[in-house]
Amino acid sequence: MAMLYKRSLLPKLINALLPGKVVVLYGPRQVGKTTLCKELIDSCPLRSKFINADELIYREALSSQSSQRLGEVLGNAELLIIDEAQRVPEIGLNLKIMVDMFPHAKIIATGSSSFDLANRISEPLTGRALTYTLFPISYREISETLGKLVSRSQLERWLIWGGYPAIVSTDNPVLREQLLGNLVGSSLYRDILELDGIRRSDKIINLLRLLAFQIGSEVSIAELATNLAMHRQTIEKYLELLEKSFVIFRVDGFSRNLRKEISKNSRYYFYDIGIRNSLIQNFNPLTLRQDVGQLWENFLVVERRKANQYSGRTVNSYFWRTYDQKEIDCIEEFGGKLLGYEIKWTAGNIRKTVSNEFSLAYPESILQLINRDNFEDFIM
């Protein structure tokens, strides 16, 4: 039986079950949204009903705009969970009707694509929606389930295979590789490919492969367009959709308009490092890899992002680089403070020229080195 990992979001979802509100749970496909919702049902004393909007009978009723039919869907449930809610036409308006007509009911709607579900619910549910995102299993969640010593001893495993629940729960490397291949091959892009005008999954995968080799470097849209023989506007559209379906995320350059700072191009990271490794078909151990620094940077940047979101910290994240190649991997603006983090896999220090120039430009900032000795404090 697969081990059930404690998800940090569970208590937050329970606390968010309020009358007159709809909890919207986003996250990529196969990240564990359904499992989390069923675990929530087991943790709640409320009479609960779980429905899948992929089923036609529920989809028709949920799109009816009829208070009678919507009431029949709810039945005597105090908690209604609608899985894959983006499948329902006019889902936002129908959720508003349910909230208005049945104020005692608590409602959760899940969706695997924020661009689709958000477009459908944002206006009708203004002021009525509480939004959360579930990510692949975090290092913190692994550590809280397995213990710190075991988690740290298996650090290489998380750096190579990532945190999708099915992958984390599988000890067979051959099966892990197959499962990741299935994710990359179809499931991950299902919502994107269903949008009008997008028919080329091979173009999306080729774009992601190029990004996979550029972790930690600024990405040129013009260069991507040239390499893929695509229009710049198409590249920008694909990048936006990949962000909104939780495959990648963008980090912009930090600058307070100093002329020697680079802020035009962005860096892209993968929400899951296993997906990245599957795209480039490299599951080699760390001792045989040339990209350990990239893996480590992606791992820490995304784990920090999870930690910030799960703890409710609103943080602006950047990188910093000058035209003469001085750089800091992670910059955060939080609570009026500027925090800089330089990420290193191997032992070492922040270059004196880097720390001096950054401190001179931003004298109130705090700069810290993150390595294998102190990374847990950074991401937990």
Side-chain angles (χ1 to χ4, degrees):
M1 183 176 174
M3 181 174 290
L4 187 63
Y5 287 80
K6 303 171 188 173
R7 304 310 301 262
S8 300
L9 212 50
L10 179 59
K12 298 186 183 302
L13 292 182
I14 292 173
N15 290 335
L17 295 176
L18 302 170
K21 299 288 185 183
V22 175
V23 174
V24 183
L25 178 62
Y26 292 125
R29 291 187 174 278
Q30 298 189 33
V31 81
K33 297 187 299 298
T34 302
T35 301
L36 179 61
C37 287
K38 291 183 176 178
E39 192 179 346
L40 185 148
I41 288 173
D42 293 338
S43 306
C44 265
L46 302 173
R47 289 191 305 275
S48 304
K49 186 174 184 179
F50 181 97
I51 62 176
N52 190 327
D54 276 331
E55 295 182 36
L56 186 60
I57 183 174
Y58 289 124
R59 199 185 317 160
E60 288 181 344
L62 285 168
S63 61
S64 65
Q65 297 176 35
S66 160
S67 57
Q68 180 183 340
R69 292 195 70 188
L70 292 170
E72 290 169 356
V73 170
L74 181 63
N76 70 344
E78 299 167 294
L79 170 62
L80 176 67
I81 297 176
I82 306 168
D83 207 19
E84 300 296 349
Q86 76 272 7
R87 299 278 181 219
V88 180
E90 302 287 350
I91 182 61
L93 180 57
N94 285 279
L95 286 174
K96 179 182 180 297
I97 293 170
M98 291 187 83
V99 168
D100 291 343
M101 295 297 297
F102 312 103
H104 67 283
K106 281 82 172 177
I107 301 172
I108 297 178
T110 82
S112 53
S113 52
S114 68
F115 55 83
D116 204 353
L117 187 52
N119 288 343
R120 295 170 185 263
I121 67 172
S122 55
E123 189 176 337
L125 288 181
T126 300
R128 290 179 169 89
L130 297 170
T131 303
Y132 298 88
T133 303
L134 183 67
F135 300 106
I137 295 174
S138 69
Y139 183 86
R140 175 180 177 172
E141 290 166 334
I142 290 170
S143 183
E144 288 177 347
T145 303
L146 301 181
K148 283 190 174 183
L149 285 176
V150 174
S151 302
R152 182 181 268 269
S153 71
Q154 296 184 13
L155 180 60
E156 179 169 345
R157 173 173 169 173
W158 320 127
L159 284 170
I160 293 172
W161 297 102
Y164 269 85
I167 310 304
V168 171
S169 302
T170 303
D171 288 325
N172 185 329
V174 175
L175 182 56
R176 284 200 295 254
E177 186 172 342
Q178 183 181 353
L179 289 169
L180 278 170
N182 290 343
L183 261 175
V184 168
S186 59
S187 301
L188 214 57
Y189 318 116
R190 179 175 162 189
D191 296 295
I192 298 175
L193 296 174
E194 286 176 357
L195 292 180
D196 290 338
I198 296 184
R199 299 286 179 266
R200 300 295 301 275
S201 63
D202 58 324
K203 290 288 188 182
I204 293 175
I205 290 176
N206 288 338
L207 170 60
L208 284 169
R209 285 191 179 124
L210 287 179
L211 294 177
F213 288 112
Q214 296 186 56
I215 291 170
S217 302
E218 287 83 82
V219 171
S220 164
I221 304 294
E223 188 178 302
L224 291 175
T226 300
N227 288 336
L228 294 169
M230 295 166 66
H231 293 297
R232 179 189 178 98
Q233 291 86 345
T234 305
I235 295 288
E236 290 173 340
K237 180 181 182 182
Y238 280 13
L239 289 172
E240 181 186 6
L241 294 177
L242 286 164
E243 281 194 78
K244 289 182 175 178
S245 54
F246 310 104
V247 180
I248 57 174
F249 61 93
R250 185 181 77 248
V251 176
D252 295 326
F254 178 80
S255 176
R256 292 269 169 83
N257 296 318
L258 300 182
R259 291 170 66 183
K260 54 189 174 181
E261 292 176 333
I262 292 174
S263 60
K264 183 180 179 182
N265 291 333
S266 302
R267 294 181 179 182
Y268 285 88
Y269 296 94
F270 285 79
Y271 274 111
D272 186 76
I273 202 68
I275 295 296
R276 182 262 183 187
N277 288 332
S278 182
L279 283 160
I280 64 173
Q281 281 298 288
N282 187 349
F283 298 106
N284 288 332
L286 299 184
T287 52
L288 300 178
R289 301 183 73 117
Q290 303 296 315
D291 60 352
V292 178
Q294 290 180 304
L295 292 180
W296 185 235
E297 182 174 334
N298 195 124
F299 174 75
L300 289 185
V301 169
V302 74
E303 289 299 320
R304 178 71 172 186
R305 190 180 183 92
K306 293 175 190 175
N308 284 334
Q309 293 210 28
Y310 286 160
S311 64
R313 286 195 301 268
T314 302
V315 174
N316 295 320
S317 298
Y318 309 92
F319 68 90
W320 179 80
R321 189 163 80 83
T322 64
Y323 283 101
D324 57 355
Q325 305 301 311
K326 297 183 182 75
E327 66 176 72
I328 297 169
D329 298 315
C330 179
I331 302 290
E332 289 186 348
E333 273 187 316
F334 173 66
K337 295 180 180 178
L338 194 63
L339 309 172
Y341 302 99
E342 179 62 13
I343 296 168
K344 287 187 182 294
W345 173 254
T346 54
N349 297 300
I350 302 174
R351 281 193 298 150
K352 207 71 176 164
T353 52
V354 172
S355 58
N356 287 345
E357 183 156 337
F358 187 75
S359 298
L360 187 64
Y362 306 104
E364 302 300 317
S365 64
I366 299 170
L367 200 53
Q368 185 181 355
L369 177 70
I370 306 297
N371 56 28
R372 278 177 283 174
D373 293 328
N374 65 353
F375 78 94
E376 287 164 317
D377 293 334
F378 180 62
I379 64 176
M380 292 176 66

